[in-house]
Amino acid sequence: MIFLEHKIGGGFVSFNNIIGNSKVKNILTKSINNKTILHSYMFIGEQGIGKKLIANQFAKMILCENFDINECNACKSCIEFDSGNNPDFINIEPDGKVIKIEQIREFQTKVVEKPINSKKKVYIINDADLMTKEAQNCLLKTLEEPPEYIVIILIVSNENKVLTTIKSRCMKIHFDKIDDEQIKNFLKDKCDVHEVSNNIMKMCDGSIGKCLQIKDKIEDYNKIENIIYNFNNSITKIINESEILYKNKENINEYLEYINVILYNLAISNTNNIRFINSIKVVENVKHRLASNSNYDMCIDYLLFNIWEEINEKNSRG
Ligand SMILES: [Zn+2]
């Protein structure tokens, strides 16, 4: 999600410019209007659907000296926020794969310091589900007795990894996937991408984050789709036309995932679907081979040859 802000541009990002999740935006706007900001929120939903973007914007509104849901951008707090130097706004990110207890302890020493410019101080804990158990227990102390000026927003994609005691202290806000039409419009308006196949939309799965990851590789995605759709050709021809797979070791996991999406779509739209389901098994097998460092080119050979056999039903079956 981090890249999303950069892609949209350095300018002001109001709720109006963030697509999807209008229910969430309404709840948060109301709480600003009614001055009913709570101490702790948990933003829950899949990766890439705007949780962090909305949290940032919410933080900016809370800190704005004019407490403005519209585009203030003029007060000291807003200006400092946009330049990334607002002392009352702190972002906590995982240190490696987890958020450690030391990070939460450090946060707690800062929490007790009063805000500098604004009436409030906002902390966003990004990927809060990556907090260790110790870190979560430590955070609990602050959630139980928060200083009156503090607002903490926990961003979470896997709710199950968060202790119930933490969840019960937060206002839980669930984010929805973004619908395909909105994603298509976003790609058209912001990224100048006009043609997107249904398979690519399935791959995005309602996530703007994923769709931004994919958008510069649309051509590759289309080539891969072509390979799969032309599996009735001779195996030599297929191998010759699969350079995209042989030459993309660094993206192969993403591309294998995409092949699975295509095969899955073929399986649900064909009556004779066992060959596509078996092909998905081949892809999974190749993922394992790659993970255990098998020879890369041989893995791709295996992939193409075995899918070819499955799709053309060249295997003898009982
Ligand atoms: Zn302002």
Side-chain angles (χ1 to χ4, degrees), residues 63-104:
L63 296 173
C64 173
E65 286 160 31
N66 301 313
F67 217 58
D68 202 342
I69 57 153
N70 298 310
E71 307 192 7
C72 160
N73 287 333
C75 72
K76 189 164 185 265
S77 171
C78 281
I79 292 167
E80 287 183 345
F81 195 98
D82 285 340
S83 66
N85 294 311
N86 191 314
D88 298 324
F89 175 64
I90 296 111
N91 240 310
I92 298 171
E93 301 274 345
D95 179 6
K97 285 185 176 163
V98 292
I99 297 179
K100 298 171 181 155
I101 188 165
E102 292 78 17
Q103 290 176 271
I104 300 300

Short mmCIF file of all heavy atoms in Angstrom, two decimals, residues 63-104:
data_model
loop_
_atom_site.label_atom_id
_atom_site.label_comp_id
_atom_site.label_asym_id
_atom_site.label_seq_id
_atom_site.Cartn_x
_atom_site.Cartn_y
_atom_site.Cartn_z
N LEU A 63 -5.88 16.42 12.87
CA LEU A 63 -4.83 17.34 13.32
C LEU A 63 -5.01 18.76 12.81
O LEU A 63 -4.46 19.70 13.38
CB LEU A 63 -3.46 16.80 12.88
CG LEU A 63 -3.04 15.46 13.50
CD1 LEU A 63 -1.76 14.96 12.85
CD2 LEU A 63 -2.87 15.58 15.01
N CYS A 64 -5.78 18.93 11.74
CA CYS A 64 -5.97 20.25 11.14
C CYS A 64 -6.43 21.24 12.21
O CYS A 64 -7.34 20.96 12.98
CB CYS A 64 -7.00 20.15 10.02
SG CYS A 64 -7.47 21.74 9.34
N GLU A 65 -5.78 22.39 12.26
CA GLU A 65 -6.13 23.39 13.28
C GLU A 65 -7.55 23.89 13.08
O GLU A 65 -8.19 24.37 14.00
CB GLU A 65 -5.12 24.54 13.25
CG GLU A 65 -3.79 24.12 13.86
CD GLU A 65 -2.62 25.00 13.44
OE1 GLU A 65 -2.86 26.19 13.19
OE2 GLU A 65 -1.49 24.48 13.37
N ASN A 66 -8.04 23.80 11.86
CA ASN A 66 -9.42 24.21 11.59
C ASN A 66 -10.38 23.02 11.68
O ASN A 66 -11.56 23.16 11.40
CB ASN A 66 -9.53 24.86 10.21
CG ASN A 66 -8.63 26.07 10.11
OD1 ASN A 66 -8.63 26.90 11.01
ND2 ASN A 66 -7.84 26.16 9.06
N PHE A 67 -9.82 21.86 12.00
CA PHE A 67 -10.61 20.65 12.16
C PHE A 67 -11.50 20.46 10.93
O PHE A 67 -12.71 20.28 11.01
CB PHE A 67 -11.47 20.77 13.43
CG PHE A 67 -11.60 19.47 14.17
CD1 PHE A 67 -10.48 18.78 14.61
CD2 PHE A 67 -12.85 18.92 14.45
CE1 PHE A 67 -10.60 17.58 15.30
CE2 PHE A 67 -12.98 17.72 15.14
CZ PHE A 67 -11.84 17.07 15.56
N ASP A 68 -10.88 20.49 9.77
CA ASP A 68 -11.63 20.68 8.54
C ASP A 68 -11.71 19.39 7.73
O ASP A 68 -10.70 18.76 7.45
CB ASP A 68 -10.92 21.75 7.70
CG ASP A 68 -11.84 22.39 6.70
OD1 ASP A 68 -12.89 21.79 6.41
OD2 ASP A 68 -11.51 23.47 6.21
N ILE A 69 -12.93 19.01 7.33
CA ILE A 69 -13.05 17.84 6.47
C ILE A 69 -12.85 18.22 5.01
O ILE A 69 -12.68 17.40 4.14
CB ILE A 69 -14.41 17.11 6.61
CG1 ILE A 69 -15.56 18.06 6.31
CG2 ILE A 69 -14.56 16.47 7.95
CD1 ILE A 69 -16.78 17.35 5.79
N ASN A 70 -12.97 19.52 4.74
CA ASN A 70 -12.71 19.97 3.37
C ASN A 70 -11.23 20.30 3.26
O ASN A 70 -10.47 20.12 4.20
CB ASN A 70 -13.59 21.16 3.05
CG ASN A 70 -15.05 20.75 3.11
OD1 ASN A 70 -15.44 19.75 2.53
ND2 ASN A 70 -15.83 21.49 3.88
N GLU A 71 -10.85 20.77 2.12
CA GLU A 71 -9.43 20.93 1.91
C GLU A 71 -8.89 22.21 2.53
O GLU A 71 -8.82 23.23 1.88
CB GLU A 71 -9.15 20.86 0.41
CG GLU A 71 -9.77 19.59 -0.19
CD GLU A 71 -9.31 19.29 -1.58
OE1 GLU A 71 -8.41 19.99 -2.07
OE2 GLU A 71 -9.85 18.35 -2.18
N CYS A 72 -8.50 22.14 3.79
CA CYS A 72 -7.92 23.30 4.48
C CYS A 72 -6.56 23.58 3.84
O CYS A 72 -6.39 24.55 3.12
CB CYS A 72 -7.78 23.02 5.98
SG CYS A 72 -6.60 24.09 6.82
N ASN A 73 -5.62 22.67 4.08
CA ASN A 73 -4.28 22.77 3.48
C ASN A 73 -3.53 24.04 3.80
O ASN A 73 -2.47 24.29 3.25
CB ASN A 73 -4.35 22.65 1.95
CG ASN A 73 -4.64 21.25 1.53
OD1 ASN A 73 -4.32 20.32 2.27
ND2 ASN A 73 -5.26 21.07 0.38
N ALA A 74 -4.11 24.88 4.65
CA ALA A 74 -3.50 26.19 4.87
C ALA A 74 -2.89 26.33 6.26
O ALA A 74 -1.94 27.08 6.45
CB ALA A 74 -4.54 27.27 4.65
N CYS A 75 -3.40 25.58 7.21
CA CYS A 75 -2.88 25.76 8.57
C CYS A 75 -1.50 25.10 8.70
O CYS A 75 -1.09 24.30 7.85
CB CYS A 75 -3.86 25.17 9.58
SG CYS A 75 -3.91 23.38 9.60
N LYS A 76 -0.83 25.45 9.78
CA LYS A 76 0.52 24.94 10.02
C LYS A 76 0.52 23.40 10.01
O LYS A 76 1.37 22.77 9.39
CB LYS A 76 1.02 25.47 11.37
CG LYS A 76 2.46 25.20 11.67
CD LYS A 76 2.93 26.09 12.83
CE LYS A 76 4.42 25.93 13.08
NZ LYS A 76 4.74 24.97 14.12
N SER A 77 -0.49 22.84 10.70
CA SER A 77 -0.55 21.39 10.81
C SER A 77 -0.69 20.73 9.44
O SER A 77 0.02 19.76 9.13
CB SER A 77 -1.72 20.99 11.72
OG SER A 77 -1.89 19.60 11.67
N CYS A 78 -1.61 21.24 8.62
CA CYS A 78 -1.81 20.66 7.28
C CYS A 78 -0.55 20.78 6.43
O CYS A 78 -0.17 19.83 5.74
CB CYS A 78 -2.99 21.34 6.57
SG CYS A 78 -4.60 20.75 7.14
N ILE A 79 0.08 21.94 6.49
CA ILE A 79 1.29 22.16 5.68
C ILE A 79 2.40 21.19 6.13
O ILE A 79 3.04 20.53 5.30
CB ILE A 79 1.76 23.63 5.76
CG1 ILE A 79 0.73 24.53 5.05
CG2 ILE A 79 3.14 23.82 5.15
CD1 ILE A 79 0.89 26.00 5.31
N GLU A 80 2.55 21.08 7.44
CA GLU A 80 3.58 20.16 7.94
C GLU A 80 3.23 18.70 7.63
O GLU A 80 4.10 17.88 7.36
CB GLU A 80 3.76 20.35 9.45
CG GLU A 80 4.48 21.64 9.78
CD GLU A 80 4.73 21.82 11.27
OE1 GLU A 80 4.11 21.09 12.09
OE2 GLU A 80 5.53 22.68 11.62
N PHE A 81 1.95 18.41 7.66
CA PHE A 81 1.51 17.05 7.36
C PHE A 81 1.89 16.69 5.92
O PHE A 81 2.45 15.63 5.66
CB PHE A 81 -0.01 16.93 7.54
CG PHE A 81 -0.49 15.51 7.59
CD1 PHE A 81 -0.74 14.88 8.80
CD2 PHE A 81 -0.68 14.78 6.42
CE1 PHE A 81 -1.18 13.56 8.84
CE2 PHE A 81 -1.11 13.46 6.46
CZ PHE A 81 -1.36 12.85 7.68
N ASP A 82 1.60 17.61 5.01
CA ASP A 82 1.89 17.34 3.59
C ASP A 82 3.38 17.21 3.32
O ASP A 82 3.79 16.50 2.40
CB ASP A 82 1.30 18.45 2.72
CG ASP A 82 -0.21 18.31 2.60
OD1 ASP A 82 -0.71 17.20 2.85
OD2 ASP A 82 -0.88 19.30 2.26
N SER A 83 4.20 17.92 4.12
CA SER A 83 5.64 17.81 3.89
C SER A 83 6.23 16.63 4.67
O SER A 83 7.43 16.40 4.65
CB SER A 83 6.34 19.11 4.27
OG SER A 83 6.21 19.30 5.66
N GLY A 84 5.37 15.89 5.35
CA GLY A 84 5.84 14.72 6.08
C GLY A 84 6.56 15.06 7.38
O GLY A 84 7.31 14.25 7.92
N ASN A 85 6.33 16.28 7.89
CA ASN A 85 7.04 16.71 9.10
C ASN A 85 6.11 17.15 10.22
O ASN A 85 6.47 18.01 11.01
CB ASN A 85 7.97 17.89 8.78
CG ASN A 85 9.08 17.47 7.86
OD1 ASN A 85 9.74 16.46 8.10
ND2 ASN A 85 9.27 18.20 6.78
N ASN A 86 4.91 16.58 10.29
CA ASN A 86 4.03 16.98 11.37
C ASN A 86 4.42 16.23 12.65
O ASN A 86 4.33 15.02 12.70
CB ASN A 86 2.57 16.69 10.99
CG ASN A 86 1.60 17.32 11.95
OD1 ASN A 86 1.77 17.22 13.17
ND2 ASN A 86 0.59 17.97 11.41
N PRO A 87 4.86 16.97 13.68
CA PRO A 87 5.37 16.30 14.88
C PRO A 87 4.27 15.57 15.67
O PRO A 87 4.58 14.73 16.52
CB PRO A 87 5.95 17.44 15.71
CG PRO A 87 5.22 18.66 15.24
CD PRO A 87 4.89 18.43 13.80
N ASP A 88 3.02 15.88 15.36
CA ASP A 88 1.93 15.22 16.09
C ASP A 88 1.39 13.99 15.35
O ASP A 88 0.38 13.41 15.72
CB ASP A 88 0.77 16.21 16.32
CG ASP A 88 1.23 17.38 17.18
OD1 ASP A 88 2.05 17.15 18.09
OD2 ASP A 88 0.79 18.51 16.91
N PHE A 89 2.08 13.63 14.27
CA PHE A 89 1.66 12.48 13.49
C PHE A 89 2.81 11.49 13.39
O PHE A 89 3.89 11.82 12.90
CB PHE A 89 1.23 12.93 12.09
CG PHE A 89 0.89 11.79 11.18
CD1 PHE A 89 -0.18 10.97 11.46
CD2 PHE A 89 1.64 11.55 10.04
CE1 PHE A 89 -0.50 9.91 10.62
CE2 PHE A 89 1.34 10.48 9.20
CZ PHE A 89 0.25 9.67 9.49
N ILE A 90 2.57 10.29 13.87
CA ILE A 90 3.65 9.29 13.88
C ILE A 90 3.14 7.98 13.25
O ILE A 90 2.06 7.50 13.56
CB ILE A 90 4.17 9.03 15.32
CG1 ILE A 90 4.80 10.30 15.87
CG2 ILE A 90 5.23 7.92 15.33
CD1 ILE A 90 4.06 10.95 16.96
N ASN A 91 3.97 7.46 12.36
CA ASN A 91 3.68 6.21 11.67
C ASN A 91 4.58 5.12 12.22
O ASN A 91 5.79 5.29 12.25
CB ASN A 91 4.03 6.40 10.20
CG ASN A 91 2.84 6.18 9.32
OD1 ASN A 91 2.15 5.17 9.45
ND2 ASN A 91 2.60 7.13 8.43
N ILE A 92 4.01 4.01 12.60
CA ILE A 92 4.85 2.89 13.04
C ILE A 92 4.73 1.78 12.00
O ILE A 92 3.63 1.38 11.63
CB ILE A 92 4.42 2.39 14.43
CG1 ILE A 92 4.58 3.52 15.45
CG2 ILE A 92 5.22 1.15 14.84
CD1 ILE A 92 4.00 3.21 16.80
N GLU A 93 5.87 1.31 11.51
CA GLU A 93 5.89 0.26 10.49
C GLU A 93 6.61 -0.96 11.06
O GLU A 93 7.43 -0.83 11.97
CB GLU A 93 6.69 0.74 9.26
CG GLU A 93 6.17 2.00 8.60
CD GLU A 93 5.08 1.73 7.57
OE1 GLU A 93 4.93 0.56 7.17
OE2 GLU A 93 4.39 2.70 7.21
N PRO A 94 6.35 -2.15 10.50
CA PRO A 94 7.10 -3.32 10.97
C PRO A 94 8.60 -3.13 10.79
O PRO A 94 9.04 -2.52 9.83
CB PRO A 94 6.60 -4.45 10.07
CG PRO A 94 5.31 -3.97 9.51
CD PRO A 94 5.40 -2.48 9.45
N ASP A 95 9.36 -3.66 11.75
CA ASP A 95 10.81 -3.66 11.65
C ASP A 95 11.17 -5.06 11.16
O ASP A 95 11.21 -6.00 11.95
CB ASP A 95 11.39 -3.37 13.04
CG ASP A 95 12.91 -3.38 13.03
OD1 ASP A 95 13.50 -3.51 11.94
OD2 ASP A 95 13.50 -3.29 14.12
N GLY A 96 11.37 -5.20 9.86
CA GLY A 96 11.51 -6.54 9.28
C GLY A 96 10.13 -7.15 9.14
O GLY A 96 9.23 -6.50 8.63
N LYS A 97 9.99 -8.38 9.65
CA LYS A 97 8.71 -9.06 9.43
C LYS A 97 7.71 -8.85 10.55
O LYS A 97 6.57 -9.27 10.45
CB LYS A 97 8.97 -10.57 9.25
CG LYS A 97 9.55 -10.88 7.87
CD LYS A 97 9.69 -12.35 7.65
CE LYS A 97 10.19 -12.62 6.23
NZ LYS A 97 10.73 -13.94 6.05
N VAL A 98 8.13 -8.23 11.64
CA VAL A 98 7.22 -8.05 12.78
C VAL A 98 7.33 -6.65 13.36
O VAL A 98 8.27 -5.91 13.07
CB VAL A 98 7.52 -9.07 13.92
CG1 VAL A 98 7.18 -10.48 13.51
CG2 VAL A 98 8.97 -8.97 14.38
N ILE A 99 6.36 -6.31 14.19
CA ILE A 99 6.48 -5.10 15.02
C ILE A 99 6.88 -5.60 16.40
O ILE A 99 6.19 -6.41 17.01
CB ILE A 99 5.15 -4.32 15.06
CG1 ILE A 99 4.82 -3.83 13.64
CG2 ILE A 99 5.26 -3.14 16.03
CD1 ILE A 99 3.52 -3.06 13.52
N LYS A 100 8.04 -5.12 16.84
CA LYS A 100 8.63 -5.68 18.06
C LYS A 100 8.17 -4.93 19.30
O LYS A 100 7.77 -3.78 19.22
CB LYS A 100 10.16 -5.60 17.95
CG LYS A 100 10.71 -6.40 16.80
CD LYS A 100 12.19 -6.11 16.60
CE LYS A 100 12.70 -6.93 15.41
NZ LYS A 100 13.86 -6.31 14.79
N ILE A 101 8.31 -5.58 20.42
CA ILE A 101 7.93 -4.96 21.70
C ILE A 101 8.73 -3.67 21.93
O ILE A 101 8.20 -2.69 22.44
CB ILE A 101 8.07 -5.96 22.88
CG1 ILE A 101 7.48 -5.33 24.16
CG2 ILE A 101 9.50 -6.41 23.10
CD1 ILE A 101 7.22 -6.31 25.28
N GLU A 102 9.99 -3.65 21.48
CA GLU A 102 10.83 -2.45 21.66
C GLU A 102 10.20 -1.26 20.94
O GLU A 102 10.26 -0.13 21.44
CB GLU A 102 12.24 -2.67 21.11
CG GLU A 102 13.10 -3.68 21.86
CD GLU A 102 12.75 -5.13 21.54
OE1 GLU A 102 12.07 -5.38 20.51
OE2 GLU A 102 13.14 -6.01 22.34
N GLN A 103 9.61 -1.52 19.77
CA GLN A 103 8.97 -0.43 19.02
C GLN A 103 7.77 0.13 19.79
O GLN A 103 7.54 1.33 19.81
CB GLN A 103 8.51 -0.92 17.64
CG GLN A 103 9.64 -1.22 16.70
CD GLN A 103 9.09 -1.79 15.39
OE1 GLN A 103 8.92 -2.99 15.26
NE2 GLN A 103 8.80 -0.92 14.43
N ILE A 104 7.02 -0.76 20.42
CA ILE A 104 5.84 -0.32 21.18
C ILE A 104 6.29 0.41 22.45
O ILE A 104 5.71 1.42 22.83
CB ILE A 104 4.92 -1.52 21.52
CG1 ILE A 104 4.45 -2.21 20.23
CG2 ILE A 104 3.72 -1.08 22.35
CD1 ILE A 104 3.64 -1.34 19.27
#
